[in-house]
């Protein structure tokens, strides 16, 4: 019986120490995780300050890319070297591809949806040039240029649609 009371008295002395130890453990665990979250937030906030200008610059470059591949501006900027229709069509497509490759690195700064739209715009513009070149009314380079320009008198270019999306996405950043 004396052993039992001795065990109970040890337990009575030990119980408050265990409770204090558990409270201290959970308190410090919560405190350290809170501090870690605060530090992570401060680091992210600091990184955001330096990342925002880079992201905006990426959107600017993609805007310039879309302006440069807009069929109305592309046909005015890229003059034909000869009267060969296939050669001019190839020249236009190479120009679009070169512009695209020059801006490939910008995809890491924009959303995947935005980059997919940029790629789709490039492909749609190339497709329009190819389809226009296959039209039976188009016999030479000048007729190709006139046909594509007339096509977009009534219709919005793929580049313009993508520009509207970029503007919307940039507005959402603020």
């Amino acid at each position: 019986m004396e052993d039992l009371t001795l065990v109970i008295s040890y337990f009575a002395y030990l119980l408050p120490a265990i409770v204090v130890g558990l409270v201290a453990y959970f308190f410090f665990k919560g405190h350290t995780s809170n501090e870690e979250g605060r530090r992570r937030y401060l680091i992210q906030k600091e990184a955001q300050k330096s990342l925002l200008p880079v992201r905006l610059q990426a959107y600017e470059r993609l805007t310039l890319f879309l302006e440069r591949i807009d069929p109305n501006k592309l046909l005015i900027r890229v003059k034909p070297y000869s009267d060969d229709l296939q050669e001019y069509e190839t020249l236009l497509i190479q120009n679009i591809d070169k512009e695209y490759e020059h801006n490939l690195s910008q995809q890491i700064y924009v959303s995947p949806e935005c980059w997919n739209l940029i790629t789709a715009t490039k492909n749609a513009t190339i497709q329009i040039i190819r389809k226009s070149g296959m039209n039976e009314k188009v016999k030479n380079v000048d007729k190709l240029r006139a046909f594509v320009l007339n096509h977009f008198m009534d219709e919005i270019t793929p580049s313009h649609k993508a520009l509207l999306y970029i503007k919307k996405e940039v507005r959402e950043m603020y």
Side-chain angles (χ1 to χ4, degrees):
M1 185 77 177
E2 203 174 283
D3 288 337
L4 184 60
T5 51
L6 189 61
V7 169
I8 291 175
S9 69
Y10 284 145
F11 186 69
Y13 290 125
L14 205 56
L15 184 62
I18 291 173
V19 170
V20 168
L22 286 174
V23 168
Y25 171 76
F26 286 113
F27 173 76
F28 284 118
K29 182 179 176 187
H31 177 70
T32 55
S33 68
N34 191 19
E35 279 298 308
E36 184 179 325
R38 188 178 68 78
R39 273 190 239 116
R40 207 178 286 140
Y41 170 75
L42 291 174
I43 289 170
Q44 185 178 16
K45 186 177 174 183
E46 190 64 33
Q48 189 70 14
K49 284 181 186 177
S50 61
L51 186 63
L52 183 64
V54 175
R55 287 191 71 198
L56 287 174
Q57 190 176 37
Y59 283 111
E60 288 172 1
R61 285 188 58 186
L62 291 175
T63 300
L64 182 61
F65 165 71
L66 290 171
E67 287 291 335
R68 289 180 63 83
I69 71 163
D70 186 89
N72 297 328
K73 295 173 182 145
L74 179 69
L75 292 172
I76 293 170
R77 193 181 77 252
V78 179
K79 307 284 186 214
Y81 294 127
S82 69
D83 287 334
D84 185 16
L85 183 63
Q86 285 294 89
E87 190 177 302
Y88 185 57
E89 190 178 313
T90 303
L91 178 66
L92 291 172
I93 292 170
Q94 284 175 345
N95 198 291
I96 292 170
D97 283 335
K98 195 180 300 180
E99 291 284 339
Y100 181 77
E101 289 171 6
H102 182 70
N103 289 293
L104 271 174
S105 63
Q106 303 309 311
Q107 66 184 302
I108 63 174
Y109 300 111
V110 299
S111 70
E113 296 83 18
C114 183
W115 184 253
N116 290 338
L117 185 63
I118 298 290
T119 303
T121 300
K122 174 197 82 115
N123 293 335
T125 304
I126 290 172
Q127 194 67 20
I128 289 166
I129 292 170
R130 285 191 174 138
K131 281 185 180 180
S132 299
M134 289 190 275
N135 191 311
E136 61 270 349
K137 294 178 186 176
V138 176
K139 304 283 188 216
N140 61 28
V141 173
D142 293 328
K143 294 213 184 222
L144 173 71
R145 295 175 85 192
F147 185 83
V148 174
L149 289 173
N150 286 332
H151 177 75
F152 288 113
M153 290 280 207
D154 305 329
E155 194 176 314
I156 296 175
T157 63
S159 295
H160 185 70
K161 292 175 188 174
L163 276 171
L164 292 175
Y165 184 84
I166 283 179
K167 288 176 184 178
K168 182 183 123 221
E169 195 165 292
V170 168
R171 272 192 306 268
E172 290 174 357
M173 287 173 58
Y174 295 106

